[in-house]
Amino acid sequence: MRRTTSAVIGIGEVPTGKYPERSELDAAVTASREAILDAGLSPRDIDMVLPVGALASRHFNVDLVFSRLCEELGMNRSAKMNCQIMAGGATSSAVLAVADALIANGQAKRILCVHSDAVGSLPRQAGIDLFATTGVSEEWEAPFGHNMNAVGALASQRYMYETGTTEAELAAVCVSLRKWAMLNPNAMFRTPLTIEDVMGSKLVATPLRAKQCNMLADGAAAFIVADAAEAGSHCEMPAYVRGHGSLVTHYSISQERDLARLGFPEAAREAYAEAGIGPDAIQLASIYDAYPVWPLMSLDGLNLCRGERAGAFVAAGETSPGGSLPMTTNGGMLSQGHTGVGGGIAVMVEAFRQLMGKAGERQVANLVNAVETASGGTWMDSHVTILSREAA
Amino acid sequence: MTAPVRPLPQPSAWSAPFWQAARENRLVIQRCNACDEKIMFPRRYCPSCLSDDLGYVAAKGTGEIYTLTTQMAGPPSGFEDLLPYVIAVIRLDEDVQMMSNIIGPGALSARIGDRVQVDFHPVPGTDTVLPVFRLAEED
Ligand SMILES: [Zn+2]
């Protein structure tokens, strides 16, 4: 078990959806301001800014790299470093691991991590083509018509083949997420969804149907990571960073040799050991989705289903409101919306929100420990992070 | 307005022999002359020993479907007229994997574990030939 060195003490988020009139900068500074105020800080208390990658606008991303947020938020000559962290969908876990290490080494005391993007306002075909290049090999995969929905489909097929998971169980993941999203004012999709609605939607890439494919959205979220020693003086219930494990398994999905598991079992073992917290002591799972197969694979790898198959566990309602293991209570990328790199950031910020006791109608009772997962590109890596209301 | 062009491979110095072989209807696999590692896809250096002494050997052209999907809607630009088409990851009998398409009789009902045999598809209007796969004939 590792001594705890950092905690999240403030969060901010703007609603996810299609907001063509809201600029990425507007969303970024609004979410950042909320996080700084939530932590009870002023801008000059922040000593580092780690903006994560934005995909829709190269110009905006260059602004993020070149300290625009420091200037906009009043941190000129007080921030020591502005540095972009980018690991695609895995950036949530990755930026938290980097922030935790910077604080552990005494490089920083209070770090602002922020995401903003407007991939939802791209024309539909531009969105498809953008994500057909994120971890898809131009030479060896794109010529065969490969694309992001096919990535989810290829993994679904192999996972179903190896585990016996059914199409209805994949659909149950979407239904569980939607039940949580209906309680989340920041979510894009808040109307009721049934297994039949999912199974009756148009086939996109077998076995995936339209309602099993995420919708691109605009959004922004931010959080403040602080030295664990001072976290309690800023925040009533900080979310302590307890452990992290990860493994890169491929760049192109066609080179993945264990597509039904990826690196989640290894990452989970490492994270649980570092945290000194095992699967039986987890009360909340904030699981990166984007397609329904990934939460199932992650639940298996994290050993969270009490020996049951993840598909059966989710179909029995265990991850829905009222279930024994609330999962991805913001609705995930399938119902809150896929904001690019930020889909994972929102899933992680929701875990912080729950641990900080600020989840409103979605608040999970008797919560102590939570697990967060993420993966980038074509699920190139498997990240597992353990968070807690208690420091070690 | 002309239809969008499908993406085509832009060979590198080290992958050019693979695509040239495909034009000659041969499937080849890169091999490290230093450690004998079979490499797919072709790399600049051997990922096992980092040697630059790499060559190519003939593949049998047979393997099995590791996973697959039939793209029914929402394809990337350039593939609109090809729907539905089958994207598959093939595990070759040499124990390396590659992405390709399944074409021909039975393609739309192909399953994981089915045996496949390489074929070659010239992309119309280009000098690119793509290695694709058909379901193997029953013995
Ligand atoms: Zn070698």
Side-chain angles (χ1 to χ4, degrees), chain A residues 129-325:
Chain A
D129 290 341
L130 171 65
F131 283 89
T133 61
T134 51
V136 170
S137 168
E138 265 190 301
E139 184 172 4
W140 303 105
E141 296 185 332
F144 301 101
H146 193 33
N147 61 95
M148 198 47 75
N149 288 334
V151 170
L154 292 169
S156 300
Q157 296 277 30
R158 187 71 202 182
Y159 180 79
M160 292 165 77
Y161 175 81
E162 291 197 23
T163 62
T165 299
T166 65
E167 291 185 27
E169 289 169 344
L170 287 182
V173 175
C174 304
V175 171
S176 171
L177 292 169
R178 180 61 60 87
K179 286 180 176 166
W180 286 110
M182 287 169 67
L183 306 175
N184 178 7
N186 280 352
M188 188 176 191
F189 298 106
R190 302 192 62 201
T191 52
L193 183 73
T194 65
I195 301 273
E196 294 70 34
D197 293 335
V198 178
M199 301 285 283
S201 64
K202 183 176 82 166
L203 267 172
V204 174
T206 58
L208 296 183
R209 296 172 179 276
K211 291 194 187 303
Q212 291 167 323
C213 299
N214 60 79
M215 182 74 81
L216 293 179
D218 310 332
F223 55 94
I224 312 289
V225 191
D227 192 320
E230 65 169 61
S233 66
H234 297 293
C235 177
E236 215 172 297
M237 278 197 285
Y240 290 97
V241 181
R242 291 289 299 270
H244 173 249
S246 54
L247 187 68
V248 175
T249 58
H250 62 261
Y251 152 68
S252 54
I253 199 161
S254 49
Q255 295 309 305
E256 175 59 57
R257 295 182 65 90
D258 197 359
L259 192 47
R261 264 165 298 276
L262 302 177
F264 285 108
E266 293 90 341
R269 208 174 304 132
E270 187 186 347
Y272 286 140
E274 189 173 285
I277 292 168
D280 295 346
I282 298 289
Q283 295 90 26
L284 169 73
S286 229
I287 306 290
Y288 189 92
D289 56 327
Y291 296 92
V293 64
W294 309 109
L296 297 181
M297 199 183 292
S298 307
L299 289 173
D300 286 338
L302 273 62
N303 197 20
L304 286 170
C305 301
R306 298 188 299 262
E308 277 188 69
R309 259 187 331 104
F313 187 79
V314 172
E318 299 291 358
T319 59
S320 301
S324 62
L325 183 72

Side-chain angles (χ1 to χ4, degrees), chain A residues 124-125 128-129 132 137-147 149-150 153-159 161-162 202-208 252-260, chain B residues 6-12 15 18-19 40-43 66-77 79-80 85 87 89 91 95-101 112 130-132:
Chain A
R124 182 173 173 277
Q125 190 63 40
I128 291 172
D129 290 341
S137 168
E138 265 190 301
E139 184 172 4
W140 303 105
E141 296 185 332
F144 301 101
H146 193 33
N147 61 95
N149 288 334
L154 292 169
S156 300
Q157 296 277 30
R158 187 71 202 182
Y159 180 79
Y161 175 81
E162 291 197 23
K202 183 176 82 166
L203 267 172
V204 174
T206 58
L208 296 183
S252 54
I253 199 161
S254 49
Q255 295 309 305
E256 175 59 57
R257 295 182 65 90
D258 197 359
L259 192 47
Chain B
R6 64 187 280 180
L8 295 170
Q10 307 295 323
S12 59
S15 71
F18 178 96
W19 295 109
M40 186 68 88
F41 310 112
R43 313 274 162 80
Y66 178 67
T67 189
L68 79 171
T69 183
T70 303
Q71 190 82 32
M72 307 290 293
S77 290
F79 291 87
E80 298 82 354
Y85 61 90
I87 303 169
V89 176
R91 190 170 280 182
D95 202 32
V96 294
Q97 292 180 186
M98 62 183 290
M99 183 166 283
S100 187
N101 297 127
I112 288 175
L130 296 173
V132 295

Side-chain angles (χ1 to χ4, degrees), chain B residues 32-37 39 46-51 54:
Chain B
C32 175
N33 294 324
C35 77
D36 218 30
E37 176 88 352
I39 306 163
C46 170
S48 179
C49 74
L50 295 184
S51 169
L54 305 173

